[in-house]
Amino acid sequence: MGKIIAIANQKGGVGKTTTSVNLAACLGVLEQRVLLIDADPQANASSGLGINVDEVISGTYQILEHTISAKDAIVKTSSPNVDIIPAHIDLVAIEIELVDKEEREYMLKKALQEVVNSYDYILIDCAPSLGLITLNSLVAADAVIIPIQCEYFALEGLGKLLNTIKGVQKVHNPALDIEGLLLTMYDSRLRLSNQVVEEVKKHFDNMVFKTIIQRNVRLSEAPSHGESIIKYDATSKGADNYLNLANEILKKNKK
């Protein structure tokens, strides 16, 4: 039975997609079967793994609509052991279309039931909002990773997200767990970065991953080549960080 992990934070630019793509690739390299679901209308996770977004005909939109099965939307990527259900800008419309549907929060959960046993991990790259698509992702997930950038407004909005998670646990998905808070965009030269790390650890202690994702030029270059950091530059600091994160998650989830 695969573990479904949503990567969520309603703040934009915190490293959600970077984490989704590179964690998927690193888990794949560590011989885990991974399915990445692009649940963000910007479709950056799809293009980050070399998918031509303009050519996507079957993707997250269609499986949320239930016009096709999840199995039929899966696309192989060039990353070892990594498949993807891609997104397209038309995913924006699903928020409106699902509004009056019954059990609208459970669409993704239902769609994934037929594929969950085919993978070790299913990662969901959530949109930077707390709308219906993100809600579907949290209802479908077993756990959530929350990326937090080491910058001034890091903790702003975190309370809101944690309240949303609590609400989902209470009403829709009592088993939803927080896999961990992931500190991203860390620059050891900046006093602010170190202050944010201290602050987050002080408040959340053992909920914080030991691995910290550092600012890394290669990491920001990789998506423009449609490649994960492992494929683009396996010797970079970014590749090292995400491999450490993948290993930390595997260790934590050892059955």
Side-chain angles (χ1 to χ4, degrees):
M1 181 87 160
K3 179 163 189 174
I4 303 175
I5 302 176
I7 295 157
N9 189 332
Q10 77 273 27
K11 268 174 77 79
V14 297
K16 277 188 300 295
T17 301
T18 303
T19 296
S20 303
V21 166
N22 293 307
L23 177 56
C26 289
L27 286 167
V29 164
L30 297 170
E31 297 183 345
Q32 302 296 303
R33 291 161 306 160
V34 185
L35 174 63
L36 176 60
I37 296 168
D38 194 344
D40 181 353
Q42 295 173 74
N44 292 336
S46 304
S47 57
L49 278 177
I51 303 287
N52 183 341
V53 178
D54 296 327
E55 290 174 7
V56 172
I57 299 160
S58 307
T60 315
Y61 175 75
Q62 285 75 17
I63 71 164
L64 282 168
E65 262 197 329
H66 289 190
T67 50
I68 64 164
S69 70
K71 257 187 191 138
D72 293 336
I74 290 171
V75 179
K76 285 218 165 307
T77 74
S78 57
S79 267
N81 300 318
V82 180
D83 293 342
I84 188 169
I85 293 180
H88 182 274
I89 191 65
D90 62 7
L91 187 56
V92 166
I94 205 78
E95 295 272 345
I96 299 149
E97 287 172 28
L98 288 183
V99 161
D100 12 336
K101 292 260 171 50
E102 259 184 67
E103 301 208 303
R104 58 187 184 180
E105 298 91 352
Y106 296 88
M107 296 300 185
L108 188 58
K109 187 184 177 76
K110 287 177 188 165
L112 293 180
Q113 275 164 1
E114 64 161 358
V115 296
V116 74
N117 292 324
S118 308
Y119 294 94
D120 298 303
Y121 287 92
I122 295 179
L123 303 180
I124 309 172
D125 182 31
C126 295
S129 75
L130 292 177
L132 209 42
I133 308 175
T134 299
L135 189 55
N136 261 274
S137 304
L138 294 174
V139 171
D142 300 306
V144 56
I145 290 174
I146 304 170
I148 299 170
Q149 85 280 43
C150 297
E151 284 170 11
Y152 186 65
F153 292 115
L155 295 175
E156 197 188 57
L158 186 59
K160 201 172 172 189
L161 177 61
L162 292 172
N163 281 339
T164 300
I165 290 168
K166 262 190 200 132
V168 170
Q169 286 166 330
K170 205 187 243 166
V171 183
H172 305 293
N173 184 1
L176 182 64
D177 196 11
I178 292 179
E179 188 76 12
L181 275 63
L182 177 67
L183 290 156
T184 62
M185 303 178 194
Y186 173 76
D187 186 338
S188 57
R189 297 163 305 179
L190 299 179
R191 206 168 93 217
L192 180 62
S193 273
N194 294 304
Q195 282 171 343
V196 171
V197 171
E198 274 170 41
E199 190 77 0
V200 172
K201 284 186 170 169
K202 187 174 86 188
H203 284 292
F204 299 101
D205 191 29
N206 57 357
M207 281 166 71
V208 186
F209 284 112
K210 288 187 179 69
T211 304
I212 294 177
I213 309 299
Q214 291 166 301
R215 273 199 185 281
N216 179 246
V217 175
R218 307 299 274 167
L219 204 50
S220 38
E221 288 171 354
S224 63
H225 296 266
E227 290 178 352
S228 72
I229 189 62
I230 281 286
K231 204 166 173 211
Y232 182 63
D233 186 353
T235 61
S236 66
K237 196 77 192 148
D240 196 36
N241 289 167
Y242 277 108
L243 270 172
N244 288 342
L245 177 65
N247 276 310
E248 194 176 338
I249 288 170
L250 289 179
K251 207 164 152 190
K252 191 177 173 183
N253 288 291
K254 263 212 175 110
K255 304 281 188 286

